Amino acid sequence: MRRMLVAGNWKLNGTLSTIEELVNGIKQGLDSVSGNCDVAVCPPALYLQHVQQLAAGSRLLLGAQNVCDQDEGAYTGEISAAMLNEFGCRYAIVGHSERRSLYGESDELVARRYAAAQRKGIIPILCVGELLEEREAGQTESVVGRQLDAVLASQGVDSFAKAVIAYEPVWAIGTGKTATPEQAQDVHAFIRDKLAALNKTVAESVVIQYGGSVKGANAADLFSKQDIDGGLIGGASLQAEEFLKICQAAG
Ligand code: PEP
C-alpha cells in the first residue's frame, strides 16, 4: 500500500515568531495523524534551519520550495541540493506553477532541478498541471503529459521510484476553486497509467498528491480517491488547526 503525504507549501510567508507558533501547533496535533501519512512543511529557504530545530525529535518532515539545477558554482541567488541536505530537507518542490509562470521556468529547467535534487538524495515533488484555458480547450492530458515527458526523457521512468508528483491544476491554486474529486482522480489515473506503460512497479508505488485549494472541509473526499495519495497545501498550511485537519483526512 502506498503511503500518503501531506506537505505544506508556505510560499513567501512567515516570520521567526509566526513560524515558531505554526510549527509548535502542528507538532502538538501530529499524534492525531495516521502513521500511514507523512507530514512535511516547506518554509522559505531562509527559515529551514529554524524549522529544523523546532521540529527536531518530531515526525514533521522538511522540504524546500525549490532547488538549483546546478551542484555548485557561480549561480547567484540559488540554493543547492547539498545545502538543503545539510539542513535536513527530505523533499524539494520543483516546477511549482508559480515558478513556471512568474519566473519563466521551462519544462527542461524543471527536469534539471528534479535531477539535481535526486543526485543528493532529496525527493523532488514534481508539480504538474494545466491552466484554465488549457482545461477548457481539452488539453489537460497533453499539458500534463508534456510536463512529465520532459522528466521522463532525461531521467527515465525509474527515477520516479524516488520522486513524488503533485497534480496541481493552476486554476485551482489559491483561487478557492478546487477540482472535484472526480476531475482530480481522472488526471491522477492518467499520470499513473502513463508511468505504468513504462514501468508498472514504479507507477504503482509513486505518490501522486493533489494540490489546489485543499482545505479541511474537502480533503477527505479528495483523498478517498484511489489514485490521490495526499496533498500539496498552500494557504491552508499556514494555520496549524486547518493543516492538521487535512492531515487527519489522509488517515
Ligand atoms: C500550492 O501553491 O501548491 C497550492 C496548492 O496552493 P493553495 O492550497 O493555496 O491552492
Side-chain angles (χ1 to χ4, degrees), residues 19-214:
I19 284 175
E20 181 166 348
E21 200 184 317
L22 178 54
V23 173
N24 287 338
I26 295 170
K27 271 167 58 179
Q28 274 165 26
L30 282 177
D31 283 350
S32 63
V33 177
S34 155
N36 189 46
C37 178
D38 292 321
V39 180
V41 292
C42 303
L46 198 58
Y47 295 111
L48 283 169
Q49 186 175 25
H50 187 44
V51 177
Q52 183 189 28
Q53 287 164 353
L54 292 166
S58 79
R59 55 182 274 213
L60 185 61
L61 301 165
L62 199 53
Q65 295 178 16
N66 207 352
V67 59
C68 186
D69 62 319
Q70 304 294 323
D71 293 338
E72 63 180 347
Y75 302 98
T76 302
E78 292 291 322
I79 295 176
S80 73
M83 293 169 188
L84 297 179
N85 247 335
E86 287 211 296
F87 292 94
C89 280
R90 176 182 293 199
Y91 304 101
I93 297 171
V94 297
H96 189 279
S97 67
E98 287 150 18
R99 299 297 318 173
R100 292 180 190 264
S101 67
L102 302 175
Y103 297 94
E105 294 195 8
S106 64
D107 293 339
E108 290 68 31
L109 174 57
V110 171
R112 290 201 305 276
R113 292 189 188 279
Y114 172 106
Q118 289 195 330
R119 278 199 295 279
K120 298 294 175 202
I122 289 179
I123 298 171
I125 299 178
L126 172 67
C127 297
V128 295
E130 81 288 1
L131 304 169
L132 183 59
E133 53 267 35
E134 291 167 336
R135 171 161 285 265
E136 287 172 349
Q139 294 168 348
T140 299
E141 292 189 359
S142 65
V143 170
V144 170
R146 187 204 73 220
Q147 292 168 335
L148 287 171
D149 279 339
V151 174
L152 286 167
S154 64
Q155 304 311 308
V157 69
D158 292 358
S159 74
F160 283 91
K162 290 190 176 144
V164 168
I165 298 169
Y167 168 57
E168 300 205 302
V170 180
W171 47 272
I173 297 179
T175 58
K177 272 191 224 160
T178 320
T180 64
E182 292 69 29
Q183 283 174 321
Q185 166 59 28
D186 283 350
V187 182
H188 283 235
F190 163 75
I191 293 170
R192 209 178 293 287
D193 287 349
K194 183 172 171 69
L195 297 184
L198 302 166
N199 184 325
K200 276 205 173 66
T201 312
V202 167
E204 257 318 295
S205 66
V206 69
V207 167
I208 309 179
Q209 300 176 298
Y210 168 78
S213 298
V214 178

